[in-house]
């Protein structure tokens, strides 16, 4: 069954289950959760469970959304015992046996966020109210992620964030029902700044072009503060609309600004277009202040590198994960090859970091339900908070209880000068260890003392 924004996969389910509302999440712990099969939003009653995958199928981040959907589909196959099992075979937790989630076969619905917060909320709301989704995941925009996370908190649904990089998602806008595996702006700045200083020097003047929404703001702040701590100066920072496709008018002023580095706080199609315009205006060949002009893209992916083509060569940035990690850096990143093989066999291409984080989030949710013995969202929260795991491609990882942010190594990358094929466009420069990108839960970039998770909401 289809509608303008939704594709239904599997059995139709509607409405929320009725039952006794849980008084507070702290009453039910351990074995008690296993008995709490009703009294929460969309408690599964049959032999299947429905998940909602809400991604940009249109708009500037549509390429990322398409890869996220591929990964979600693969994760469902593996959870249901189909295919080669992928990371189920390498995950340090061993509750996932290919028999669904908590013994229920996994079905799913999909929606198009359009890279717009209002559309994303409407899409997620329909998944919850019409299709009976017990968990929602996805998104490639932090504005979308924050909006949908807030909706899930209100509805009593778990939100397993997909690609969202703004500090706000697990910072000032963190929610008890929301969890993020992907890294964030602060981590990019902390990982990149020392390498930028080492490669380009400490006496640099930076000009920022920044996407005009929460991800752009926090990425600009994180990179600015980290590079200024290395001795750089920020000469200007200009906001650009998310809907912008031609950045020529924004590039022209850079040439006469006194800057010798352009920082593009852009993602997806925005980054491809702005980088292309910068190269067309000759910035890659320019000199300023007696130095070679440089361009930095704090966050980018293999998908964006494909879109940018040869323009990505030599550009430094950061990633949450890279499909070459295990081959190049060994068994610390076990799980990477298993996922790459499964994904490649099904789709004929290596997965992006967006695909990886969405696949991993689906497995982490399923494992949490199994360990808790219940789909009750407060049981899932309890199972994920403080959870330490390995074997999912990033090395040892912690889901910190205080803010529901994953902490793991960060990958610093550079566009390859001489790629061997269309998928070999990025090289790993360094992997920054977890302790160098870790911060306090009340860090000023994350809302300070005012930022709190609040209470888990089981809904119903």
């Amino acid at each position: 069954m289809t509608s303008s924004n939704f594709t239904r996969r599997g059995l139709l389910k509607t409405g929320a289950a009725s039952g006794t509302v849980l008084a507070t999440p702290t009453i039910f712990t351990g074995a008690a959760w296993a008995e709490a099969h009703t009294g929460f939003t969309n408690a599964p009653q049959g032999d299947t469970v429905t998940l909602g995958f809400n991604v940009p199928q249109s708009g500037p981040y549509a390429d990322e959304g398409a890869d996220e959907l591929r990964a979600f589909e693969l994760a469902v196959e593996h959870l249901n015992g189909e295919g080669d099992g992928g990371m189920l075979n390498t995950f340090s937790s061993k509750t996932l046996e290919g028999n669904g989630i908590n013994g229920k076969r996994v079905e799913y619905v999909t929606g198009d966020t359009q890279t717009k917060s209002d559309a994303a909320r409407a899409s997620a709301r329909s998944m919850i109210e019409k299709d009976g989704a017990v968990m929602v995941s996805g998104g490639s925009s932090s504005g979308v992620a924050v909006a949908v996370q807030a909706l899930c908190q209100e509805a009593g649904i778990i939100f397993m964030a997909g690609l969202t990089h703004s500090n706000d998602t697990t910072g000032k806008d963190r929610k008890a029902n929301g969890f993020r595996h992907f890294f964030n702006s602060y981590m990019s700045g902390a990982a990149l700044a020392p390498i930028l200083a080492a490669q380009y020097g400490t006496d640099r003047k930076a000009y920022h072009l920044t996407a005009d929404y929460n991800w752009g703001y926090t990425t600009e702040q994180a990179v600015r503060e980290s590079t200024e701590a290395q001795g750089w100066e920020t000469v200007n920072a200009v906001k650009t609309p998310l809907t912008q496709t031609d950045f020529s008018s924004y590039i022209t002023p850079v040439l006469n600004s006194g800057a010798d580095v352009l920082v593009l706080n852009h993602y997806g199609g925005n980054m491809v277009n702005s980088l292309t315009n910068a190269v067309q205006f000759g910035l890659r060949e320019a000199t300023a202040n007696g130095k070679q002009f440089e361009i930095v893209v704090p966050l980018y992916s293999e998908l964006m590198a494909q879109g940018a083509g040869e323009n990505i060569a030599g550009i430094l940035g950061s990633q949450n994960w890279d499909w070459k990690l295990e081959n190049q850096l060994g068994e610390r990143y076990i799980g990477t090859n298993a996922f790459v093989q499964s994904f490649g066999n099904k789709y004929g291409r290596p997965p992006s970091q967006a695909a990886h984080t969405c696949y991993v989030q689906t497995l982490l949710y399923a494992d949490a339900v199994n360990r808790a013995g219940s789909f009750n969202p407060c049981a899932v929260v309890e199972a994920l908070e403080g959870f330490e795991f390995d074997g999912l491609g990033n090395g040892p990882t912690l889901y910190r209880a205080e803010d529901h942010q994953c902490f793991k190594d960060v990958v610093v990358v550079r566009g390859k000068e001489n790629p061997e094929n269309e998928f070999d466009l990025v090289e790993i420069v360094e992997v920054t260890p977890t302790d160098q990108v870790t911060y306090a839960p009340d860090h000023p970039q994350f809302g300070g003392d005012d930022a709190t998770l609040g209470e888990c909401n089981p809904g119903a």
Side-chain angles (χ1 to χ4, degrees):
M1 183 177 68
T2 61
S3 66
S4 58
N5 290 327
F6 295 91
T7 303
R8 176 67 189 168
R9 307 292 177 90
L11 303 177
L12 175 64
K13 299 175 184 175
T14 59
S18 61
T20 304
V21 177
L22 303 179
T24 67
T26 56
I27 291 176
F28 294 87
T29 59
W33 284 121
E35 303 303 319
H37 294 309
T38 60
F40 57 94
T41 302
N42 293 341
Q45 299 300 304
D47 58 3
T48 65
V49 60
T50 300
L51 308 181
F53 301 141
N54 202 23
V55 305
Q57 299 181 53
S58 58
Y61 296 169
D63 287 347
E64 308 287 330
D67 224 35
E68 289 180 326
L69 276 185
R70 296 183 189 108
F72 282 132
E73 181 179 349
L74 186 63
V76 169
E77 287 184 6
H78 290 168
L79 289 173
N80 286 334
E82 301 164 10
D84 62 11
M87 285 186 178
L88 271 65
N89 301 312
T90 59
F91 189 14
S92 56
S93 181
K94 300 302 180 185
T95 73
L96 302 177
E97 300 178 343
N99 60 345
I101 304 176
N102 214 22
K104 296 182 183 291
R105 182 172 178 81
V106 182
E107 305 284 349
Y108 65 95
V109 290
T110 68
D112 181 9
T113 69
Q114 305 173 41
T115 322
K116 298 176 181 177
S117 296
D118 288 346
R121 280 179 66 96
S123 174
R125 185 180 297 279
S126 182
M127 290 177 173
I128 296 166
E129 296 181 352
K130 176 183 175 184
D131 299 307
V134 73
M135 181 273 274
V136 172
S137 184
S140 288
S141 156
S142 291
V144 162
V146 166
V148 174
Q149 179 170 257
L151 174 70
C152 289
Q153 180 69 35
E154 296 164 7
I157 292 293
I158 290 292
F159 178 63
M160 300 295 285
L163 196 161
T164 168
H165 186 248
S166 171
N167 290 341
D168 293 350
T169 308
T170 48
K172 71 180 184 65
D173 295 312
R174 69 186 72 163
K175 301 295 181 185
N177 284 40
F179 290 85
R180 171 164 60 180
H181 170 262
F182 206 71
F183 72 145
N184 57 47
S185 301
Y186 175 93
M187 294 174 178
S188 285
L192 269 175
I195 293 174
L196 293 175
Q199 300 250 344
Y200 302 147
T202 57
D203 182 22
R204 283 286 187 166
K205 299 182 186 299
Y207 191 113
H208 289 253
L209 289 181
T210 300
D212 192 10
Y213 75 108
N214 62 350
W215 171 72
Y217 309 150
T218 66
T219 302
E220 178 193 305
Q221 179 186 16
V223 174
R224 187 181 70 242
E225 292 183 6
S226 294
T227 54
E228 288 176 358
Q230 297 286 336
W232 286 28
E233 177 186 346
T234 304
V235 300
N236 203 359
V238 177
K239 305 296 187 291
T240 62
L242 186 59
T243 56
Q244 193 76 23
T245 56
D246 184 350
F247 292 86
S248 300
S249 62
Y250 292 95
I251 299 296
T252 304
V254 178
L255 297 166
N256 301 311
S257 66
D260 46 49
V261 177
L262 173 61
V263 181
L264 294 175
N265 301 303
H266 291 157
Y267 197 74
N270 289 158
M271 173 274 197
V272 171
N273 292 331
S274 62
L275 177 59
T276 299
N277 290 154
V279 172
Q280 289 170 342
F281 274 72
L283 290 188
R284 295 296 298 272
E285 291 78 35
T287 59
N289 306 321
K291 305 178 183 69
Q292 177 69 40
F293 199 98
E294 303 290 353
I295 302 174
V296 177
V297 178
L299 175 69
Y300 72 86
S301 68
E302 296 269 4
L303 291 174
M304 291 158 60
Q306 290 172 24
E310 62 183 10
N311 294 331
I312 201 67
I315 302 292
L316 284 167
S318 65
Q319 293 185 170
N320 185 66
W321 172 85
D322 186 274
W323 66 270
K324 302 177 290 294
L325 269 174
E326 189 174 352
N327 280 343
Q328 294 187 11
L329 297 175
E331 64 180 10
R332 177 176 176 83
Y333 302 104
I334 188 171
T336 291
N337 286 350
F339 178 52
V340 171
Q341 179 176 334
S342 293
F343 194 96
N345 287 342
K346 185 172 178 63
Y347 301 113
R349 59 185 297 154
S352 66
Q353 62 177 348
H356 172 257
T357 203
C358 288
Y359 178 93
V360 169
Q361 283 284 72
T362 308
L363 265 57
L364 287 169
Y365 171 78
D367 173 71
V369 171
N370 283 0
R371 287 187 291 111
S374 174
F375 288 96
N376 190 303
C378 296
V380 175
V381 168
E382 185 176 304
L384 284 174
E385 285 186 338
F387 181 48
E388 296 180 341
F389 60 93
D390 201 350
L392 295 183
N394 294 107
T397 303
L398 166 69
Y399 240 132
R400 190 163 69 178
E402 290 85 353
D403 52 8
H404 296 180
Q405 172 67 53
C406 270
F407 286 84
K408 55 198 182 310
D409 299 346
V410 170
V411 186
V412 176
V413 297
R414 177 171 47 218
K416 272 195 164 184
E417 298 286 352
N418 298 297
E420 296 178 7
N421 56 62
E422 63 179 312
F423 304 119
D424 181 45
L425 302 177
V426 172
E427 61 184 359
I428 298 170
V429 175
E430 177 181 296
V431 175
T432 304
T434 308
D435 59 356
Q436 293 184 31
V437 298
T438 299
Y439 52 87
D442 61 352
H443 189 283
Q445 287 190 30
F446 293 83
D449 294 334
D450 295 331
T452 60
L453 283 169
E455 296 294 328
C456 167
N457 177 22

